[in-house]
Amino acid sequence: MLIVGAIVAFGASASADQSAPAFDLLSTLQKAGERVEYYFARAQSIVCIEVVAMQPLGSGFGADGRSRTVQSELRLSWDPASETEAPFEAKTLRQVLKVNGHPPRKNDYGNCTSPEQNDTETQPLSMLLPQQRDDYDFTVAGTSRQDGRAALRVDYRMKVRPTVSVELIEDNEDCVSFDIEGGMRGRIWIDAETFDVLRLDQGLVGQIDIPLPDKAARRTSIDRMIWTLERFDSSIRFKPVRFSDPDETLILPVSASSLRITRQSGMPRLRTTISYTDYRRFLTGGRIVPQ
């Protein structure tokens, strides 16, 4: 999980219901993983518009200060045979188009946001690929309905303990980027009929300390040499998106939201909402022209 924050400046329930109806967990994970592989393969020919709205919050979780909106074009990159990336891990590629309605500017005030500083990020559904499932503990959490569909709920927890790497953003030393590996848990809603993922929630297992780089610590007060990430909850929703010529329907992300609380940082409380719209598919083809 890669996050960018400024130097100055809904909780995911993962407890299983013991009385909930059971289902075959291994079979469900296998079928869901196959659907994720299909999604990754098809989504490589799709682009969409991502609109990220970030709102700082006060101590009462009301709006506090200006919001910031970043509009980008997204596409998926996935090469299961790649030897240079993490094995069988899909990446989202981002090209920022507008910030608060205007073209992005290098010296924009307050540009310490993940969309502006991260042109790639890991696709969270990668966890369901067979090569990555061993990194998680999965448990049955019962059944429910999600967006009118019967859903199988699966809770997960990363096995590895959290580790943090921190660095300053190149050419923008007011921004700190920190990458957290491990220490997350959450819940997945899987369509009981098609085994497509309908919803993915994620949150921290516990608080995580983020030591600032020496150069960053010298630019702020002594009590801010360590940030503490108290909470980072996120939720992604997936729904059918229809394409024509040829006709095809894919289950794709349509919205996401998150709440981040980082003690001692320049923006201690931040709510983020994301929409994914204007999905477009590009198909290529060729033909042999006889001489």
Side-chain angles (χ1 to χ4, degrees), residues 178-253:
F178 54 97
D179 191 11
I180 300 174
E181 295 290 340
M184 304 296 289
R185 64 180 178 181
R187 174 168 290 177
I188 312 168
W189 283 255
I190 299 171
D191 191 298
E193 181 179 349
T194 67
F195 295 94
D196 290 304
V197 174
L198 302 175
R199 175 177 168 183
L200 174 66
D201 286 8
Q202 188 165 258
L204 293 174
V205 172
Q207 297 184 1
I208 297 177
D209 286 336
I210 304 166
L212 297 184
D214 291 340
K215 191 171 184 179
R218 288 196 298 268
R219 301 182 62 183
T220 184
S221 56
I222 188 67
D223 62 340
R224 291 186 178 181
M225 293 181 66
I226 295 180
W227 292 352
T228 299
L229 187 61
E230 294 184 349
R231 181 175 176 184
F232 190 85
D233 297 335
S234 65
S235 181
I236 308 173
R237 303 295 182 95
F238 301 79
K239 290 185 179 180
V241 177
R242 293 175 176 81
F243 300 91
S244 58
D245 194 25
D247 293 340
E248 184 178 28
T249 298
L250 294 174
I251 304 298
L252 300 171

Side-chain angles (χ1 to χ4, degrees), residues 150-169:
L152 310 175
R153 297 184 302 178
V154 175
D155 286 346
Y156 66 88
R157 184 184 181 113
M158 290 182 173
K159 294 180 180 179
V160 64
R161 296 179 61 86
T163 58
V164 183
S165 58
V166 189
E167 60 182 7
L168 293 176
I169 296 294

